[in-house]
Amino acid sequence: MRPLHIKNQIKLKLIKNLIPVFISFLIFGCSSDDNSVANPPDPVLNSLEISSSNGNVLDLNGSNTITLSATGRDQSGQPIAIDDTIEWSASNNNASINQNGVVTGISTGNSVLTANVGSISKAFNITIVDSTPQTGTFIYVSDAGNFDNPPWQILKYDENGQNPQVFTSQNLAWPQDILFLEDQNIALISNLNSGVIGRYDATTGVYIDNFAAGIGGPTRMKIGPDGLLYVLQWAGDGLVLRYQLDGTFVDQFTNVGVTNSIGLDWDASGNLYVSSFNGALVRKFDSNGNSSGVFINSNLNGPTNIWFDENDNLFVSDWNADSVVKFDSNGVFVETVITSGIDEPEGVDFFPNGNFLIGSGGTSEVKLYDGDGNFIQTLINSGSGGLIQPNAIRIREIN
C-alpha cells in the first residue's frame, strides 16, 4: 500500500492535467453559441402592420376615401424599413385601392384590402356604408346563410325588390329577426348562435353595441301592447323575455317555456301566442303571461312565423310543410292558404294595403301575396344580393 502523501500527490497531478482540458472545452465547446450571441442574424422583413388614416368604416356620403399605411417588422418584432414595393389589392368591387394605399368606396358592404411585399402579406377589413339621407319604402331581409355557419348578412332592397345592398354583416352569428326603433335611429338584430341582440345604426348599418346578451338563442322580437320588447328563445328555458327599449331587462314574462320558439303574435284580447318549431305546436298565454295551454297541436310540421288577421284568424308559416296554414280564433284548422310555390317559408311582413312578403328559404327568394294568400309575384329574385336563406323580413318606411 502506498503512503497517503503519495496518493495525494498523484491526485493533485491529475487535477492539474485536467484543468487545461476543461478550459479548452469551455472555450472551443461553447464558441459556436458565443458567436451566435455576438453575431446575431441580420434583421429581415418578417411581417407587416397596417394602419388607417380614419378607422375601418368608409362612408359613401362624405370624403369617401381613407389612406392605409404599411409598416414592417423584423423577426424580433422590431420596426424595419420596407425596401421593396408594397402591392395593394382589394377583395371585391365594393372598394378600390391604388398603390399609394388610398381607398375609395364604391358600394356598400365589406371589403378586404391586402398589402403584399414579396411573400409577406397583411389583410385589413373595412366596411363601406352610405349615410346619405333616404326616403321611401325599403325591404330588409335577414339572411341566415348556411344556418349555423356563415356567410351571414342583412340585405336591403328598394320597394320593388331591386338594388340590393348589404345593410350590415358586422357582429352577426346566425341572425334571426330585425326590428327598427325609429325614434332612436336604431336597428336591433337577434343572433341565435351568440345569444346577443345587437344594436346598429339604422342609417348606415354600423354595429354600435349589444342591446342585450346572455339569451338562449334569441329568435323573434316584437314590441308588445305594453310598449316593451318581447324576445323569444330557441334554447335555454324557452321563456319569453321582456326588455325596455333601451335594453334594460324587465322580466321573464311567461311561466311556461316553449322549446324552439320562433313565432309570436297577440290576438285582439291581448293574449300572446308562441309557436314551437320542433314541438309543431302553438301555445297560448294570457295578458299576464300565464299559460292557457296548447292552442294548436295538429296540422303543423314545423311552424315559424305566426300572425292574426282582423277576424282573429291565426296564420302559421309551416317551414317543414312548405305551406301557410289558417286556423280560426278557437285554434280549429280552416285551410291551407298557400299550398305551392313556396319552399321553407320564414320571415313575413305586411304592406299598408294588406299584401305581405314571405321568405322562401329553399329557393332563396322573397314572394309577394295578397291578404288572402294569393300569389302576386316573386319580389326578390333568387340569390339577389347574395341572398341564401331569408328568415326575417322587415318593410320600412323612411320619411
Side-chain angles (χ1 to χ4, degrees), residues 255-325:
N255 66 342
V256 173
V258 179
T259 59
N260 306 137
S261 54
I262 198 166
L264 79 163
D265 203 10
W266 288 263
D267 64 17
S269 300
N271 298 304
L272 173 66
Y273 298 75
V274 179
S275 65
S276 170
F277 180 78
N278 287 324
L281 58 83
V282 176
R283 182 175 286 274
K284 179 180 178 180
F285 299 88
D286 67 20
S287 58
N288 294 314
N290 299 308
S291 176
S292 301
V294 174
F295 184 66
I296 301 168
N297 62 359
S298 61
N299 299 97
L300 294 175
N301 292 286
T304 55
N305 300 83
I306 60 175
W307 66 94
F308 282 94
D309 67 10
E310 66 278 4
N311 298 314
D312 263 356
N313 294 307
L314 181 64
F315 293 78
V316 182
S317 292
D318 195 329
W319 199 87
N320 282 337
D322 301 328
S323 63
V324 174
V325 188

Side-chain angles (χ1 to χ4, degrees), residues 8-23:
N8 290 337
Q9 288 177 353
I10 293 172
K11 287 180 179 180
L12 289 172
K13 186 175 181 180
L14 288 171
I15 291 171
K16 288 179 180 179
N17 290 335
L18 287 172
I19 288 174
V21 175
F22 181 68
I23 293 173

Side-chain angles (χ1 to χ4, degrees), residues 140-194:
Y140 296 78
V141 180
S142 173
D143 186 359
N146 297 309
F147 299 106
D148 59 349
N149 291 300
W152 299 308
Q153 59 184 343
I154 307 298
L155 293 166
K156 176 183 178 183
Y157 303 84
D158 64 25
E159 63 182 322
N160 299 311
Q162 303 298 312
N163 300 309
Q165 299 178 1
V166 176
F167 174 67
T168 190
S169 60
Q170 299 177 342
N171 296 77
L172 300 179
W174 196 349
Q176 298 291 304
D177 213 350
I178 315 162
L179 189 144
F180 288 94
L181 304 178
E182 296 294 354
D183 60 333
Q184 301 180 38
N185 195 41
I186 292 295
L188 301 180
I189 300 171
S190 54
N191 294 274
L192 193 150
N193 273 5
S194 63

Side-chain angles (χ1 to χ4, degrees), residues 195-241:
V196 166
I197 298 173
R199 186 165 15 211
Y200 296 76
D201 185 294
T203 302
T204 65
V206 171
Y207 169 78
I208 300 172
D209 59 13
N210 287 345
F211 175 87
I215 306 169
T219 56
R220 303 288 174 236
M221 304 178 292
K222 192 172 288 188
I223 296 175
D226 53 9
L228 298 175
L229 180 70
Y230 287 68
V231 179
L232 300 186
Q233 300 185 89
W234 179 265
D237 56 24
L239 300 177
V240 179
L241 307 179

